[in-house]
Amino acid sequence: MSDDKQKFINLFLEKIESGSFVKATLGKKRGGDEQLKNIYVTPVNLKAGINLSFLYRYKTRDEVKNFSATEAAEVINSLVGVEFLSCHLFSTDRNVELSYSRKLKSKLHFSKASFQTVGSTDHNKKKNRFVSAENNQYLQLLGVVSSSGQISKKKEKKFRQIDKFIEIIDGIIRSSDLMGREKITVVDMGAGKGYLTFALFDYLKNTLKIEADIVGVEARQDVVDKCNKIAGQVGFAGLSFVKGYISDYEFESADLLIALHACDTATDDSIYKGVLAKSEVIVCAPCCHKEISPQISCENSNSELMGFGILKERQAAIVTDGLRALLLKSQGYKTNVFEFISSEHTAKNIMISAVKSKSPVDVDSINAEIESIKSLWGVKKHHLQSLLD
């Protein structure tokens, strides 16, 4: 066991024994079961005393196992640096992260405590969430929850989407240079009714303790007016909404650029503006893929396969988003494409994340790969590539 890991395990046991342990999160999956995405550890009060509840979050299910403090330490020891490259320990006095590079070089990082209290250890407590429904004024005003904190039946899928989005953003920010900054600027392209924009501002300011200056860009004036009114009612100074179209909205810089469900090439416009603004992080969830579909050629070995409209449409989406990820990579970003929420909640469930990388980029190799893919599928033009060129 490395010195960093031993110190981390000792701190983990120390926080449990002192009663200051809040939770731990294992992330940055690198091996093992591909269906397993994250593990969340929280204290739970059982008949045998305080145990540690491990929530194993798989792609399509959750699984819970309870361990004693010693057993929990052994489990973390066996997983961190092996199947997971990161483990965050949260306590009421400070946060500690044990992280590993791809070459398995360990590092400990200490930061200010995100939580002031431990919270309930009741075995029957409500499901741990990144977004709280209770006493949440902006979710009440947005019609997601009632004044008593009950989630509206019509908004249950929306609430799960909001919570999952914040969980993902939390992991992305913690893996980037944005973590530890006192203030960051954010532009949300196509903010819509502001559900995710409000949740992001709340999480940055009140959980991560990062001052945020967020602008939500939305084309509908009535929606902009409503969101600005709610931001004022809940006292979210630093959060504002402006009327505008993604292709027209100009800004000089943004640490974090978000574009969720921007239709067709509006996603490309958003990504391009994020690259121009030298954004540290770019996150988008594409919507519609109309540009590439009519370009896909049916004159090669895939002609019969692409003769089915639904398959051609899905292949167009794969090619479009795959090229977006590679184009971002060519601009010096570490990119990832993944399903951010189950398709039962929304069909628009693919997310592309891009975090500025300090590693050198082999642009020629990436561009050659891009051209090879375009040639294979008969693609003559990709809007993001045209913008970058």
Side-chain angles (χ1 to χ4, degrees):
M1 187 187 303
S2 69
D3 290 342
D4 287 336
K5 181 184 277 191
Q6 185 63 67
K7 290 177 183 177
F8 185 83
I9 295 297
N10 290 342
L11 285 169
F12 176 77
L13 292 170
E14 175 188 311
K15 302 306 177 187
I16 294 170
E17 185 176 352
S18 67
S20 62
F21 176 79
V22 178
K23 67 176 182 177
T25 303
L26 283 76
K28 295 185 181 179
K29 192 75 164 50
R30 73 179 294 267
D33 190 341
E34 293 182 357
Q35 295 295 310
L36 179 60
K37 301 301 180 182
N38 297 92
I39 298 177
Y40 302 101
V41 185
T42 52
V44 59
N45 192 8
L46 303 177
K47 289 183 179 180
I50 294 293
N51 274 29
L52 283 304
S53 177
F54 279 59
L55 173 62
Y56 292 76
R57 178 148 290 169
Y58 292 87
K59 187 174 181 180
T60 58
R61 73 183 197 281
D62 287 346
E63 184 178 312
V64 177
K65 296 180 182 179
N66 295 323
F67 300 100
S68 67
T70 303
E71 291 170 336
E74 292 174 353
V75 173
I76 290 176
N77 179 42
S78 68
L79 292 173
V80 183
V82 181
E83 290 189 38
F84 294 88
L85 294 179
S86 171
C87 185
H88 284 89
L89 168 63
F90 299 88
S91 68
T92 55
D93 52 8
R94 63 177 171 175
N95 301 336
V96 186
E97 179 191 8
L98 173 63
S99 62
Y100 285 83
S101 66
R102 289 294 174 182
K103 295 182 179 180
L104 298 183
K105 183 178 179 180
S106 63
K107 182 180 179 181
L108 278 177
H109 175 73
F110 297 87
S111 59
K112 294 187 297 184
S114 299
F115 300 90
Q116 304 302 314
T117 59
V118 173
S120 173
T121 58
D122 185 355
H123 181 55
N124 297 315
K125 68 180 178 180
K126 295 179 180 179
K127 182 178 179 181
N128 184 41
R129 297 186 177 119
F130 280 76
V131 177
S132 174
E134 296 181 356
N135 300 316
N136 192 317
Q137 192 178 5
Y138 69 84
L139 285 183
Q140 291 176 27
L141 294 171
L142 289 169
V144 179
V145 303
S146 66
S147 57
S148 62
Q150 293 295 313
I151 302 169
S152 167
K153 288 186 177 181
K154 293 182 180 180
K155 297 292 185 179
E156 287 178 351
K157 290 183 179 180
K158 176 59 67 177
F159 182 85
R160 283 193 287 268
Q161 184 184 14
I162 295 169
D163 189 62
K164 187 63 179 179
F165 171 71
I166 296 302
E167 178 186 339
I168 290 169
I169 286 292
D170 174 79
I172 293 173
I173 288 177
R174 291 183 186 279
S175 67
S176 74
D177 285 346
L178 297 183
M179 191 63 190
R181 292 192 187 180
E182 292 184 359
K183 183 176 182 178
I184 64 174
T185 57
V186 183
V187 175
D188 184 357
M189 293 291 210
K193 295 180 180 179
Y195 298 112
L196 304 180
T197 325
F198 276 94
L200 176 61
F201 183 88
D202 182 34
Y203 198 70
L204 288 173
K205 184 174 179 61
N206 297 317
T207 299
L208 296 184
K209 307 302 180 184
I210 299 174
E211 291 296 321
D213 186 357
I214 300 182
V215 176
V217 182
E218 167 55 40
R220 295 165 292 181
Q221 186 64 60
D222 59 329
V223 176
V224 169
D225 293 341
K226 180 180 178 180
C227 288
N228 279 326
K229 180 180 179 181
I230 293 174
Q233 287 175 296
V234 299
F236 281 3
L239 173 61
S240 62
F241 295 81
V242 298
K243 182 181 184 299
Y245 293 94
I246 291 172
S247 58
D248 299 330
Y249 185 72
E250 301 294 337
F251 56 97
E252 291 185 2
S253 63
D255 298 310
L256 171 60
L257 186 287
I258 297 171
L260 304 181
H261 305 153
C263 189
D264 196 24
T265 56
T267 294
D268 298 311
D269 291 325
S270 300
I271 293 172
Y272 174 62
K273 288 176 182 291
V275 172
L276 279 185
K278 296 181 172 58
S279 299
E280 184 70 28
V281 175
I282 297 173
V283 178
C284 59
C287 172
C288 309
H289 300 77
K290 299 176 183 178
E291 181 192 29
I292 299 299
S293 184
Q295 298 184 56
I296 289 184
S297 172
C298 293
E299 298 176 358
N300 53 32
S301 59
N302 297 303
S303 59
E304 290 298 321
L305 185 64
M306 292 299 102
F308 298 99
I310 185 64
L311 297 181
K312 183 179 180 182
E313 182 181 322
R314 291 181 179 178
Q315 186 59 46
I318 292 172
V319 172
T320 303
D321 291 335
L323 289 174
R324 283 168 173 160
L326 287 172
L327 287 163
L328 276 164
K329 191 175 179 181
S330 74
Q331 299 300 311
Y333 288 88
K334 179 182 178 181
T335 60
N336 193 16
V337 182
F338 56 96
E339 184 181 78
F340 81 97
I341 195 167
S342 173
S343 57
E344 68 180 279
H345 303 312
T346 175
K348 306 167 186 177
N349 64 338
I350 295 299
M351 181 169 280
I352 301 172
S353 67
V355 178
K356 267 291 186 183
S357 173
K358 295 182 175 64
S359 302
V361 178
D362 187 345
V363 178
D364 290 339
S365 176
I366 297 171
N367 285 338
E369 188 175 355
I370 290 170
E371 294 308 316
S372 175
I373 293 171
K374 289 172 62 182
S375 176
L376 174 64
W377 293 103
V379 176
K380 303 298 182 184
K381 180 178 181 295
H382 189 290
H383 188 56
L384 178 58
Q385 185 180 36
S386 299
L387 292 171
L388 293 171
D389 286 344

